[in-house]
Every structure is written in structure tokens, then in C-alpha cells.
Amino acid sequence: MGVLMTSVFLVGSMAGSGILALPSAVESTGWVGLVVLVLCGMGASYTGEVLGECWDMVQERFPAMRGPVRYPYPAIGMLTFGRAGRYDTDTYETTSSRYDTDTYETTSSRYDTDTYETTSSRVIVSVAVDFSMLGGAVVFLLLAGQNVAGVVRENGGPSLPLCYWFIVISVLLFPLTLRASPKEFHWIGVGAMGATVIACIILLVVMAMDARAAQPVHHREIRPLPFAAALGTFMFAYGGHPVFPTFQTDMKAPRKFGISCRIAFFCLLCIFLPVAAVGYFVYGSRVKANILQTVTPGPALQVVECLITAHLVCSFVIVINPVCQELEEIIGISPHFNVKRVLMRLGVCLGVLMVAETLPHFGAVMSLIGGSSMTLLVFICPPIFFFRLALAKGPWPLVVIPVCKTVLLIVIMVLGIVLGVAATISAITVLSAPGTFIPPCFINVTAAGR
């Protein structure tokens, strides 16, 4: 992929579900939330570039990482922290011999990645990536179900319970998840970004028309718990880092990933900021968790719901792909299309469906993911990995870190930890309330029939 196509994929993987919750999140934080939204975007953009630099260093130092890699983000964590917290050339073996510690060379021409030691850092990163991606897929499925149910109901179609729409959408999405990697479905990235941009333009027009009604706007009192939960929503909106190395691996010039990152986050701010600000100032306390359930119903809203649903479908395919690739690597499934891949990805889709059925509260799920695993992967891991790789000694050029870059990365990490902990505690408080977990409606129907 080229620079622009990679930017399209980056925007397509992030803009969508988060934007629907931003007006409500700003309402919970006040106008300060708009400032936080911009700062989070700038911080995430910078750590995205830094993560790209980490992957460049990994590929330069470990030849085996220069080919197709199905688990790039966890691989960075694995290769960043070796035995005893340092690079240990004896840890990395080849099929024929160990490294010669004097020359850092082997008698064979490539590394055998199967002999890499499974470090705790890789496990932590893998769990965080999988939790973020699968949680994001749950959010996309919940929102897609709400949108489809609303459009069908408004046009006189059958009024089915949401849980049945989740099943229908999952069945339709499953064939799209069988592609091996993002480079095999360029049209999905283009479709996701295009649908979002058009939907946001129409949504802004509809909200501007609602503003002409001149209804009194009142804002809710800012309270600690909703404020903290809103922070998780902001961080979720920019949480595309788990798939960044996957896109970078598929680039023609991976070292230009930073350019793609800057373009993508600038576009995101141009999309996020107007929707969040207009929703906050036009609706105030009347805004709901999903902004589409707040604006005045009509044909324009139905078009927006259809476009956003198209984006959610594309994003579902994008975010679930890294999880599937890593699981296939662990299980030993060939990268070529086969029956095992079909069965494994069917299991992943069924798992996402069951979580959506039992926990249909996308706002709380979004806040939990944003405050926990997304914060770890977006604001904490990239700086730590960069410092470790830059300071590691070996047969490679010395990396000099400017003082300003060091200070900036440390500030990002500290703020990420503080905001992430607050958002996670808030989300857990909401999710632990009685009645949060419910049995799927089709189970209730079966039980009633008996």
C-alpha cells in the first residue's frame, strides 16, 4: 500500500463508532472535553509515529521480521524485552545454530521465528491487542444492530428485537472476515473512510437544521464518574494502534508510515471536532450516548444511519483481522485459505456475537476498552518500546533521542496512565451495576416456550 492508501485505512479503522459517542462524552466533560479531544488526537498521532519507528528498528535488527508477519504489535513487545530485560543473543536461535555472540551472525541466512522466546511482554501486548480488537468488534456490532433496526422500523419493516439483528448482521459479516490481511481488501478501507466522511457532512447539516428550532439548551452538571467515563470514550475514538503495524507491514515504503499517520489524524480531527462541538452546543443535556438517537428523524437521518452502518461493517472486518492472524499463528494454521481458517474465524465471530448479546451497552464497553487496553496500547507501550529499542546496545547504529522527544513521551505516558485508570474505574463501576448482564432474548423466548 502507498502512503495515501495507508492513511485511508488508518482513518477507516478509527472514524465511526467513536464519533457517535463524542457529543455525549463532551456533554459529560463540558467545553473542556473539546480541548481533551484535540490533545488526545495529537498525542495518539505522535505515539503512532513512534510505534512506526519501533517497527522500523525491529525489522532492521531482526531479518526474520522483514517478511510477512502475522502478529507485528506483539512481536515488537517480544523483541523489545528479552531475557533479564535486555537483548540476549542466546535467546534467539536458528534452525541450525545459535548466534555467534562475537559477530552477531549465524551460519544460516535467516532467523527461525518459531524459536523466539515467549516473553511476558508479548503476552501482555497480545492480550491487550486481542481485548481491544474484539471489544471494538462488539461495539461495532451493537451500533450496526441499532442502526439497522432503526432504519427497518422507520420504513415499516418487521420490528425484531435487537438480539436477532445482531445474529443477522453477524451472518452477513462472517464471509468478509475470511481475507488473510488488509492488503487483500483495499476497497474496505476506502469504503469505511468514504462512508464516514459523507455521513458526518449530512449529520452536521441535520444538526444545524435542528439548531434552527431554537430550543433552550441546558447542560448537565459535571460529575466525576461520567467525566472519567468520557475520557475512555475519547481514547477509544483514537484507538487504532493495534492494527497500525499490520498496515505498515503492507506498505511499499514502511518508513513513510509517520507521514500516513499525520495525514490520518489530521483528517480525524477534521471529522471528530465539528460533530462533537455541534452536538454539544445544539442538544446539551438532551444528547444521548448515540448521537443518531438524538437528531430529528427523517430521510437524511436514515441515509446517515446507512452510511455509518456501512462504515461499521468495514471496520468490523479491519479490526478483527489482527486477532485472527495471531490466533492462526499460534494454532499453526497456514496463511493460505483453508478449512481451518474458516472454522477458527467462525469461532471468533461467534464469540463476538455472544458478548454483544449478553452485554448490549456500547457506551460502557467503549469506555472500558478505551480506558484500559487502548490506553496501554496507544499511550504507554509505544514510548516504552521506543526507549528500550533506542537504548539497546548491539551491532546497529546508535539511536540518539532528543531531550524534547524524551520529555514529550514521558508526559504522554504519565497522562495516559492517569486518564486510563480513571476511565477504567468508572467503566467497571457502571458495568458492575445490577442488571447490566442480561441473557440473550432468544434464550428468553426458548425458556418461555418451555
Side-chain angles (χ1 to χ4, degrees):
M1 300 189 295
V3 171
L4 292 180
M5 180 59 68
T6 303
S7 301
V8 168
F9 263 90
L10 293 177
V11 174
S13 65
M14 289 181 283
S17 60
I19 197 172
L20 301 180
L22 287 180
S24 177
V26 174
E27 175 62 22
S28 298
T29 57
W31 64 267
V32 176
L34 296 174
V35 178
V36 176
L37 179 63
V38 174
L39 293 178
C40 285
M42 294 172 63
S45 175
Y46 190 65
T47 58
E49 291 187 47
V50 169
L51 184 63
E53 294 178 29
C54 293
W55 186 234
D56 287 337
M57 284 189 281
V58 165
Q59 289 188 311
E60 179 182 350
R61 299 174 184 181
F62 300 94
M65 296 291 106
R66 297 171 190 170
V69 180
R70 299 163 83 181
Y71 51 96
Y73 202 133
I76 296 175
M78 178 179 66
L79 297 175
T80 301
F81 290 90
R83 183 182 303 167
R86 63 182 178 84
Y87 283 93
D88 186 345
T89 53
D90 290 335
T91 301
Y92 307 106
E93 301 179 352
T94 64
T95 53
S96 58
S97 67
R98 292 190 175 187
Y99 284 94
D100 179 351
T101 54
D102 294 328
T103 61
Y104 292 88
E105 297 178 353
T106 65
T107 54
S108 64
S109 60
R110 62 183 301 274
Y111 294 83
D112 179 6
T113 56
D114 293 334
T115 59
Y116 284 171
E117 180 184 37
T118 302
T119 62
S120 59
S121 58
R122 179 193 170 183
V123 173
I124 293 173
V125 174
S126 295
V127 171
V129 169
D130 294 345
F131 181 74
S132 299
M133 296 295 93
L134 293 177
V138 170
V139 172
F140 297 155
L141 182 58
L142 291 173
L143 288 173
Q146 289 182 5
N147 292 345
V148 171
V151 172
V152 172
R153 183 174 57 253
E154 292 169 7
N155 288 278
S159 182
L160 295 176
L162 273 177
C163 74
Y164 289 107
W165 286 118
F166 297 154
I167 297 174
V168 172
I169 295 173
S170 297
V171 171
L172 296 177
L173 283 176
F174 171 66
L176 300 177
T177 66
L178 297 178
R179 291 287 187 176
S181 71
K183 64 183 178 182
E184 295 189 13
F185 42 80
H186 289 72
W187 60 272
I188 287 183
V190 176
M193 180 177 175
T196 301
V197 172
I198 297 173
C200 288
I201 294 174
I202 299 175
L203 181 59
L204 288 171
V205 173
V206 174
M207 290 192 292
M209 295 174 63
D210 286 348
R212 296 177 60 184
Q215 296 186 27
V217 177
H218 303 283
H219 296 288
R220 292 191 291 264
E221 179 184 357
I222 299 177
R223 294 177 295 172
L225 190 63
F227 187 97
L231 297 176
T233 301
F234 292 146
M235 289 183 279
F236 180 91
Y238 296 110
H241 288 52
V243 295
F244 282 11
T246 304
F247 297 151
Q248 186 180 6
T249 300
D250 290 337
M251 291 184 67
K252 296 177 182 177
R255 291 188 178 276
K256 295 183 179 180
F257 179 76
I259 301 175
S260 298
C261 208
R262 280 177 239 144
I263 295 173
F265 277 92
F266 176 78
C267 294
L268 284 175
L269 281 175
C270 292
I271 296 173
F272 287 169
L273 200 55
V275 173
V278 174
Y280 169 71
F281 289 111
V282 171
Y283 301 107
S285 59
R286 294 184 291 116
V287 69
K288 297 181 180 179
N290 183 350
I291 186 62
L292 299 183
Q293 297 180 343
T294 305
V295 301
T296 302
L301 176 59
Q302 293 184 31
V303 173
V304 173
E305 289 176 329
C306 292
L307 290 172
I308 291 294
T309 301
H311 167 87
L312 295 171
V313 168
C314 295
S315 295
F316 183 95
V317 177
I318 291 174
V319 302
I320 210 170
N321 186 267
V323 180
C324 294
Q325 288 197 59
E326 183 175 8
L327 290 177
E328 289 165 4
E329 182 73 22
I330 294 173
I331 297 174
I333 298 176
S334 170
H336 303 289
F337 185 83
N338 55 72
V339 175
K340 291 182 179 180
R341 178 200 288 182
V342 175
L343 295 177
M344 195 282 299
R345 299 199 178 192
L346 175 61
V348 172
C349 290
L350 288 175
V352 170
L353 173 62
M354 291 309 300
V355 174
E357 296 282 8
T358 56
L359 194 62
H361 308 285
F362 88 91
V365 175
M366 184 183 298
S367 182
L368 176 63
I369 299 169
S372 57
S373 57
M374 283 296 186
T375 299
L376 177 67
L377 296 172
V378 175
F379 298 105
I380 300 175
C381 282
I384 293 177
F385 291 166
F386 177 79
F387 286 137
R388 292 285 301 184
L389 288 168
L391 299 176
K393 297 180 179 179
W396 43 75
L398 179 66
V399 178
V400 179
I401 309 176
V403 176
C404 59
K405 187 170 188 174
T406 300
V407 173
L408 181 57
L409 290 177
I410 292 176
V411 170
I412 290 175
M413 282 193 295
V414 172
L415 292 178
I417 292 172
V418 173
L419 299 181
V421 170
T424 301
I425 294 175
S426 174
I428 292 176
T429 302
V430 173
L431 292 174
S432 61
T436 301
F437 292 86
I438 62 174
C441 59
F442 55 81
I443 294 180
N444 292 338
V445 172
T446 303
R450 294 179 180 176

